[in-house]
Amino acid sequence: MALNTSLDAHIPEGPLQQKWTQYRSTLPLVSPNNKRRIDVIVVGTGLAGASAAASLSELGYNVKAFCYQDSPRRAHSIAAQGGINAAKNYQNDGDSTYRLFYDTIKGGDYRSREANVYRLAEVSAAIIDQCVAQGVPFAREYGGLLANRSFGGVQVKRTFYARGQTGQQLLLGAYQALSKEIAGGGVKMYNRHEMLDVVLIDGVARGIIARDLVTGEIQRHGAHAVVLATGGYGNVFYLSTNAMGCNVTAAWKAFKRGAYFGNPCFTQIHPTCMPVKGEHQSKLTLMSESLRNDGRVWVPKTVEDAKAIVAGSIKAEELPEERRDYYLERMYPAFGNLVPRDVASRAAKLVCDEGRGVNESSQAVFLDFATAIQRDGEDAIRARYGNLFDMYERINATNPYKSPMKIYPAVHYTMGGLWVDYNLMTTVPGLFAIGEANFSDHGANRLGASALMQGLADGYFVLPYTIGTFLSGEIRTPRIDTNHAAFGEVEAQVKGRIDKFFSVGGNQSVESLHRKLGKIMWEYCGMARNAEGLQKAIGLIADLKEEFWNDVYVPGKAGDFNPELEKAGRVADFIELGDLMVRDALNRNESCGGHFREEYQQDGEALRDDNGYSYVAAWAFAGESQAPELNKENLVFEYEKPKTRSYA
Amino acid sequence: MAWLNAFLSSTIGQKVVVALTGLFLCTFLVVHMVGNLQLIWGTADKFNLYTYAMTHNKVIKVVSYLTYASIVLHAVMAIWVNRRNAGARPVGYAKKGTNSTWSSRNMVFLGVVILVYIVVHLYNFWFQLKFGEVGTVVIEGKHVKDLYPVVINAFQIPWLVALYVVSMAALSFHLIHGFQSGFQTVGVSHHKYTPFIKQLGIWVFGVLIPLGFAAVPIAVMILKDPIPIP
Amino acid sequence: MDNPYRMKLNLKVWRQHGPQDKGGFQTYALDDVSPDSSFLEMLDLLNEQLVSKREEPVAFDHDCREGICGMCSLYINGHPHGPEQTTTCQLHMRSFSDGETITIEPWRAKAFPIIKDLTVDRSAFERIIQAGGYISVNTGQAVDGNAIPVPKDDAEDAFNAATCIGCGACVAACKNASAMLFVGAKVSHLGLLPQGRPEAAKRAQAMVRQMDAEGFGSCTNTGACSAECPKEIPQSVIGMLNREYLLSTTLSEEG
């Protein structure tokens, strides 16, 4: 039941190149003495949340920041490896703001908003400056200047990096800025607290209900505005490269309180992860995309050779060159091993489905460094990727300097998220979403090293300005009273739900139910999807939801440190989200970026339908056990007309 | 002087005191070593002149007071630090693995052994020299106390020699860790020089000097006959 | 890929209901453990068994499970993060032998009180960073990233110090429960970069003051922290911290 009017994203007028600068100079401001009287809640302390909380506090707002970990520094941005993009053109290789904009729009398969993406490219350079000033130890050349490397989907070197730990270093920079503000009193930090719902008063977001994870206490926190920086929902697949605690709860509660969810089915499957093994596996580990700068991806040309390698009768490193298929180099000669992630993942699936995969389940391909080691020497490769190679060896007990790595695609990032306008505000006034939690900048596929860029862009350079559009109207609103009936009502719902978890008293652990959900999602809504499977998944998820609420067992007590209870809440929300993702995937009768519908392809390549689906699917909650309602934001491409993505 | 108070009550400041006094005592050891060798290679007269100089030279006197002060400060501060550190882990581990050298973990124990040794050593010789009944000889026109036979005779006693040797072993382990540790504590840490300091600490202060000290009583016991004191 | 071989283990696990509870060891037998599973996956298995028996699972901290968030802890068989020099989440069961008894304890330090079972409160580290572990530059104040060249070696050394994940293994390993490696890592990371110099003296003073106030012990240079540090932070960062602290006390106007 789609509505016909397009959602208004409040994109400013004017030419693309001037939208942001003009808009920024005309945004309503909040004077310094008024900022002191305004409270802002920031949930999540990854790159987006930490940078936003610190920057808002620097401006003078009173910030309350929340994270479920024992320290803001542990948010999962920490695990990003490869790098951060910025249009600095330090390498003199023809990079520019426009080119970064173009690469991102194209990489996203023309399903993102031009104005947002251009703004992202525009502020990217300032991010690098800010991070360097904070003491982020980026890689440098001998002359002392910043070094760059290349990443998938682009033909320039614009990725800044700190060995294989760029996310860690950037997050520590933001975390330190946040710590400075905590020390200064501008930010009150709540570690080991989880947001369980958002509170609306007269339709405006005015606070949250949070649970102190140590004592189990349910708390009310009021503020003039609430910012969600709660990351992505890849854990809906159970196995992903996300941290164990990553969850959709905050975004999902916002959805159920009226915020639209944009493009939930757009999931990024990262091509270079360690393959699945063993039924007790709890998570998948990523091997940075930067490895594709030097590593060559291949499988044997024949099924027989693949089988022989699995059986151990031929060693991979001894298979003659002419019997290997460097399929990315063969299929996409222009970009070779550095094609975008969705393309690389799909190609891996293609060759593995042919039976040429290199482990028992035929779900692995080789990433081979022999050529690079021969060319540059083992020491040079160690200097570039030493920590990644060590990690690989530790997990797999094989030496990647000697024999090729085995890799396979795995769920890594979710492009979908809460729908936001140009100001990063959701459809609930006063409720903002930044970083991976929103849907905004990556379209149907995110380019490598762009997540860090977007998180920090939102937190440092976008939200601190755009939140003023809302808060400038709030200067007469007194401090939010958490004794307001709305807080009581939501708090009662939160407590009721917790009681319900305990009252089921069934026989299945939360973990085992989560695993079941993951299997359904990966099977029917993973790397390849089709209408029949998606239809089936809707039924399976409904059954699983019922199973959950009839047979889950949650040990322990509510008023206690209880990780099982935390998981129960998260998995219950994932099950509901799974349903929405499947419906979104079913609605989108085209293939684009990370969304590959088997019915819509041409020679194995994704077949987009720009006439039918050049829109953001923004879903609205329509009530429990009601089908969600589809709203559309039509995407208008004024500067880069959609064309078939080609990396060949 | 609040800053000094803050420094001396900080964990680092207290360690700096231990380090600086310890390193000073290392220089004292070098000087003492040179004197001791007179017992083996020198004559009785030379040795007695050396002890005379040790007790009469103004500079040496000042240095010796500094040495006593250092020993006291070094020990008191180290014990204080140790007490404080023990309080940083009120509940210990049930199963403890090792991840460091034995000497580095047992500096206080080694220090106590050395302290006991110092007391015995001072009683044996320094106390005798100052307050005991030691004869006098005339060398180069000076009336000099004749400590030489006291030393030679003392080192005929096997348990005393054994105590000296064991104590020097303790000193060895104490310095193998302590010398380089002292530099680290005062912030001398450098890609180029630290490896050199470590080797110096091990071979010169950890091996050569304790060996030298231990060699004296052993050599005296083996090589020299007791001297009847008139 | 999956190794068909399975291990049997005896787990001696510290159970403590809350900070005030006395606590004690409980022993659990666990079989069907794959040598390819990680240590935390082995504990997941234990917890699934406990839950199925309607017992309360063992509480332990963990999150990213790829060795970088620093959330996981555990003192395993006498070593923080177990027998390999890595994080517990990257420790695999192939490092143990079939039938082995594994003793699992929480980090022990006055400054890290126990929350529950194997979970400890490391907020002391937060307060140390808040005392001065940052460069005071507000958003928007930065000059161009290439305006100040940084010698490659300095950037590398700064990176090697900055790689600290704040897990607390250094404190757990140290016989004095000293946090000098953690503090030294941050003081070195920022102090080695030109951007961090203006506040270097203030930083060293403030961070050491806070470190002492939290009740950590002092460094007696045993080197146990570096030997156990999953990120192999070297002893030189402690040397640098000592130097910065001594110089800021004696030469600067700070302190």
Side-chain angles (χ1 to χ4, degrees), chain A residues 483-601:
Chain A
N483 291 316
H484 190 284
F487 275 92
E489 208 175 293
V490 179
E491 188 189 78
Q493 287 168 11
V494 166
K495 285 181 170 165
R497 191 163 186 256
I498 290 174
D499 291 343
K500 208 171 150 195
F501 286 129
F502 289 110
S503 69
V504 178
N507 290 309
Q508 297 189 55
S509 67
V510 174
E511 197 77 15
S512 61
L513 289 158
H514 191 183
R515 215 175 277 140
K516 285 182 184 172
L517 174 67
K519 282 202 176 118
I520 299 171
M521 294 305 292
W522 182 244
E523 175 83 26
Y524 301 108
C525 200
M527 255 195 290
R529 304 149 175 193
N530 60 57
E532 195 189 340
L534 291 164
Q535 290 284 8
K536 192 174 167 196
I538 291 177
L540 290 172
I541 293 171
D543 293 348
L544 185 67
K545 187 174 174 182
E546 183 137 332
E547 195 178 334
F548 182 95
W549 288 107
N550 286 306
D551 201 28
V552 73
Y553 173 66
V554 180
K557 294 195 294 280
D560 198 0
F561 185 73
N562 190 343
E564 286 293 311
L565 174 63
E566 296 165 26
K567 270 196 285 185
R570 294 167 191 165
V571 172
D573 291 335
F574 275 135
I575 293 174
E576 296 183 8
L577 166 79
D579 176 71
L580 183 70
M581 289 173 72
V582 169
R583 286 173 195 275
D584 184 42
L586 189 59
N587 170 70
R588 194 167 280 277
N589 292 313
E590 64 162 349
S591 293
C592 59
H595 171 65
F596 189 71
R597 281 280 298 272
E598 287 166 342
E599 307 96 307
Y600 306 100
Q601 56 176 311

Side-chain angles (χ1 to χ4, degrees), chain A residues 51-207:
Chain A
S51 59
S55 302
L56 291 171
S57 167
E58 285 162 10
L59 289 173
Y61 296 110
N62 292 304
V63 179
K64 283 178 165 189
F66 294 80
C67 70
Y68 72 77
Q69 299 90 344
D70 73 338
S71 162
R73 67 181 292 156
R74 309 205 197 284
H76 200 52
S77 304
I78 198 106
Q81 298 170 353
I84 177 167
N85 290 329
K88 279 285 199 185
N89 194 28
Y90 281 161
Q91 304 303 325
N92 196 30
D93 56 1
D95 199 9
S96 65
T97 301
Y98 194 89
R99 197 180 289 274
L100 175 53
F101 155 76
Y102 167 73
D103 286 341
T104 309
I105 285 277
K106 178 187 173 196
D109 219 354
Y110 301 93
R111 289 292 173 266
S112 43
R113 201 187 278 156
E114 273 194 338
N116 279 53
V117 176
Y118 195 87
R119 175 175 67 187
L120 176 66
E122 213 174 335
V123 302
S124 66
I127 296 172
I128 301 304
D129 301 339
Q130 185 65 27
C131 294
V132 168
Q134 288 171 341
V136 170
F138 282 122
R140 286 175 184 271
E141 307 289 0
Y142 281 105
L145 302 177
L146 293 160
N148 291 110
R149 64 181 166 205
S150 193
F151 248 65
V154 301
Q155 290 170 313
V156 293
K157 282 168 128 184
R158 65 159 76 97
T159 304
F160 294 78
Y161 62 98
R163 226 168 285 172
Q165 289 157 247
T166 316
Q168 180 198 27
Q169 294 310 317
L170 295 176
L171 183 60
L172 291 181
Y175 161 69
Q176 285 162 201
L178 178 63
S179 296
K180 159 176 73 80
E181 294 304 306
I182 295 171
V187 177
K188 174 106 178 69
M189 186 68 223
Y190 295 86
N191 296 333
R192 290 194 195 267
H193 278 66
E194 182 168 18
M195 169 187 159
L196 292 182
D197 215 332
V198 59
V199 180
L200 273 56
I201 298 177
D202 302 326
V204 181
R206 293 302 192 193

Side-chain angles (χ1 to χ4, degrees), chain A residues 306-369:
Chain A
K307 282 188 176 148
I309 285 174
V310 173
S313 52
I314 305 180
K315 277 191 180 159
E317 55 271 33
E318 285 163 8
L319 191 75
E321 282 293 317
E322 65 276 9
R323 281 155 68 186
R324 300 176 179 195
D325 178 14
Y326 294 93
Y327 58 90
L328 288 177
E329 296 169 24
R330 171 173 60 79
M331 293 158 74
Y332 309 101
F335 284 71
N337 293 295
L338 280 173
V339 290
R341 291 173 176 178
D342 56 333
V343 178
S345 291
R346 220 159 28 241
K349 181 173 161 38
L350 197 73
V351 296
C352 287
D353 286 350
E354 291 168 10
R356 294 193 282 148
V358 293
N359 66 0
E360 279 94 347
S361 54
S362 187
Q363 292 190 345
V365 299
F366 287 126
L367 179 62
D368 199 330
F369 292 86

Side-chain angles (χ1 to χ4, degrees), chain A residues 135-144 163, chain B residues 190-191, chain C residues 148-162 185 187-195 197 237 240 243:
Chain A
V136 170
F138 282 122
R140 286 175 184 271
E141 307 289 0
Y142 281 105
R163 226 168 285 172
Chain B
H190 193 279
H191 291 320
Chain C
I148 308 169
V150 179
K152 189 175 164 70
D153 287 346
D154 288 356
E156 293 278 319
D157 284 348
F159 175 88
N160 287 337
V187 163
S188 300
H189 159 211
L190 298 176
L192 284 163
L193 296 170
Q195 291 84 358
R197 287 317 302 170
V237 303
M240 176 146 179
R243 183 162 67 244

Side-chain angles (χ1 to χ4, degrees), chain A residues 367-370 373 388-390 392-393 398-405:
Chain A
L367 179 62
D368 199 330
F369 292 86
I373 289 173
L388 298 171
F389 276 51
D390 290 349
Y392 183 89
E393 182 162 8
T398 53
N399 180 351
Y401 294 101
K402 299 276 170 270
S403 45
M405 290 183 181

